[in-house]
Every structure is written in structure tokens, then in C-alpha cells.
Amino acid sequence: MAIDFSLSEELEDVRLRIRAFIDDVVRPVEDHIESERLAETDRRAYGKALMELRAKAREDGLWLPHMPAAWGGMGLGHVELAMVQAEAARCRFGPWVLNCQAPDEGNMHTLLHWGTDDQKERYLRPLLEGNAWSCFAMTEPEVAGSDPTLIRTAGYPDGEEWVLNGHKWFISNAHRASFAILIARTEDDPELPQAANTAFIIDLPADGWTEVRQIETMHGSTGHSEILIEDLRVHERQMLGGRGQGHLLGQYRLGPARLAHCMR
Ligand SMILES: Cc1cc2nc3c(=O)[nH]c(=O)nc-3n(C[C@H](O)[C@H](O)[C@H](O)COP(=O)(O)OP(=O)(O)OC[C@H]3O[C@@H](n4cnc5c(N)ncnc54)[C@H](O)[C@@H]3O)c2cc1C
């Protein structure tokens, strides 16, 4: 049986509004930024141009398409969001202008679902306002990223703190992030291999968190970093979700984020 991907009239209207916004508003500014090489020649004008685009997206109700209306978003479901991401990514700055860029977009979903009220105020709110950058640190050079049960970055409790040691790479946005969601192994012998990991929110910069380098990829050099984690101490209130729930949290995060990535 064929799958029906057609959108309702109302959602087709949203898709077309985003297409028009990208083509008529974002693309001309982007072309100007690139032709004048503003990022290198005039950082102030560059920042101003981008912030004006974001203000316009907000004004036009095209802000946070993936977030519920109660959190200032457009409240779209996964199919609609897939269409929106594809339209937004018709030009380079599109997703960022709508504030639905990776990896912040996936971290927003995750914080909304897994965060305590305090964590939502401290970490989710600034992302929604466009005032923070974040990263998600799971993949490791020593083991296959396809299977997070193999993760070796490990944490042990010490009083009210956890002490973390390990090695991550391909961590998008780590270069500029104000916090990371870090996945580490905390359980030695869980009943299920998928119950060994726990997520922690790490304020950055932090002692014990060292960026080794930014890795060149086919995506370019926009910052997928290798990170060394050495005796990084984090208070237990920075745990995101419960002990042993890091794998589940990762799957919850990566499902919609992978879909959004593909569409972009
Ligand atoms: C641009 C970019 C940005 C990224 N951003 C992030 C990020 O922000 N945070 C983060 O944590 N990670 C990030 N990653 C890492 C990404 O999640 C991993 O690359 C991915 O999970 C695959 O893991 P791997 O690279 O270790 O490859 P591997 O898991 O080693 O896989 C290599 C190949 O082997 C195959 N394979 C693996 N295991 C098996 C098996 N058991 N049987 C058969 N075949 C197998 C795979 O299908 C694949 O073809 C990023 C990667 C890139 C390229």
C-alpha cells in the first residue's frame, strides 16, 4: 500500500510560506554575505544581518518549527517538520534562521522531554531564545558509533559529584557550545546492555573537557570536534534523565534528529 505523504491545506500553506521566506528573505542576505565575504571582512555587519533574519522569522511566526506552541514554536509533527526542514535547508543559513539547526534542534527535543523544570529553564530556554549553542557528545573513536552499548567514556560517583573520563569525536558544535549533553557509562553490570549509560549536562568550558581538534568532514570544517575528558567533575543534579537511561535518551533524541538531518 502506498504511503500518503500529502499535506493538509493548512500545512501546505506553512511549507509554501517557508519556501517564500527562504527564497525572498534569507537567500538575498546570504548571497550578500557570501559575495562581500562579510564573515571575514566585517563581523559586526555579518552578525547584524543574521540577527535581523532571525528577528524577521520570529515576527513572521516561522520560529522553532519543531517545538510545541507552549514553548514558542510552531507545534508541527514529524511529517510536517520533515517538509519544513527540507524547505529551510534550500539555503545555508535557513535552518539557523528558523532556529531548527543541528545539533541544537535535537537537544531541544531531548531537554523538553527529559529535563527537570530547573534544567529546562537553565538550558532549554536559552536555546529557544537563540541565545546559546549546545552539543551532543556520544560517538567515540575507539568503538563503533553505530552501537552505543560499546561506549567506554565512564563515570563513577564521588559524594554529590560524578567523575568522568573518556574520549569523544565528531561532536558537532562543541567548539562554540555553552553546554554539552554527554553520554557516559555508569553501570558496570546492567541486566540489559542498553541500560549501562547515563546522560549528563556539562557547562562549557569546563576543567577536564579539552578540545583536541576540529575534524574535517565532507560537511566542511564547521566544527565537529574531538574531545578528551579527563577527571571532569559534574554535580549529580546535572544528570539528564535517570541513571542507566542514557541509551534510551540517545534513541529518543536521534530518531527525530536523523529524520531532520536527512531532509536538510
Ligand atoms: C558530520 C558528522 C557529524 C557528527 N556529529 C555527531 C555529534 O554531534 N555527536 C555524536 O555523538 N556523533 C556525531 N557524529 C558521529 C556519528 O553519529 C557516527 O559517525 C555514526 O554513529 C557512525 O559511527 P562510526 O563513525 O563510529 O562508524 P561505525 O559504527 O564504525 O560504522 C562504520 C561502518 O561499519 C558498519 N557497521 C558498524 N557496526 C556494524 C556491525 N555490527 N555489523 C555490520 N556493520 C557494522 C556501519 O554501518 C558503517 O558502514 C557525527 C558524524 C559526522 C560525519
Side-chain angles (χ1 to χ4, degrees), residues 136-140 143-146 169-172 217 219 224 258:
F136 185 76
M138 185 165 81
T139 307
E140 304 185 349
V143 291
S146 308
W169 73 349
F170 288 109
I171 309 309
S172 307
T217 67
H219 177 231
H224 307 287
R258 287 290 178 254

Side-chain angles (χ1 to χ4, degrees), residues 62-85:
L62 302 177
W63 184 248
L64 296 168
H66 56 294
M67 280 285 115
W71 288 85
M74 294 171 70
L76 302 180
H78 292 308
V79 174
E80 299 83 48
L81 193 54
M83 303 302 169
V84 166
Q85 292 283 7

Side-chain angles (χ1 to χ4, degrees), residues 25 47 73 131-132 135-136 139 142 145 160 174 181 189-190 200 205 245 253:
V25 180
N131 294 332
C135 64
F136 185 76
T139 307
E142 292 82 7
E160 291 183 341
I181 298 175
D189 194 17
F200 295 92
Q245 293 202 297
R253 183 193 180 283

Side-chain angles (χ1 to χ4, degrees), residues 17-26 56-57 60 62 97:
R17 275 173 59 211
I18 290 186
R19 173 167 289 213
F21 184 80
I22 295 295
D23 286 348
D24 303 341
V25 180
V26 183
K56 182 88 176 84
D60 289 5
L62 302 177
V97 168

Side-chain angles (χ1 to χ4, degrees), residues 2-7 79:
I3 301 173
D4 181 6
F5 286 110
S6 56
L7 299 178
V79 174

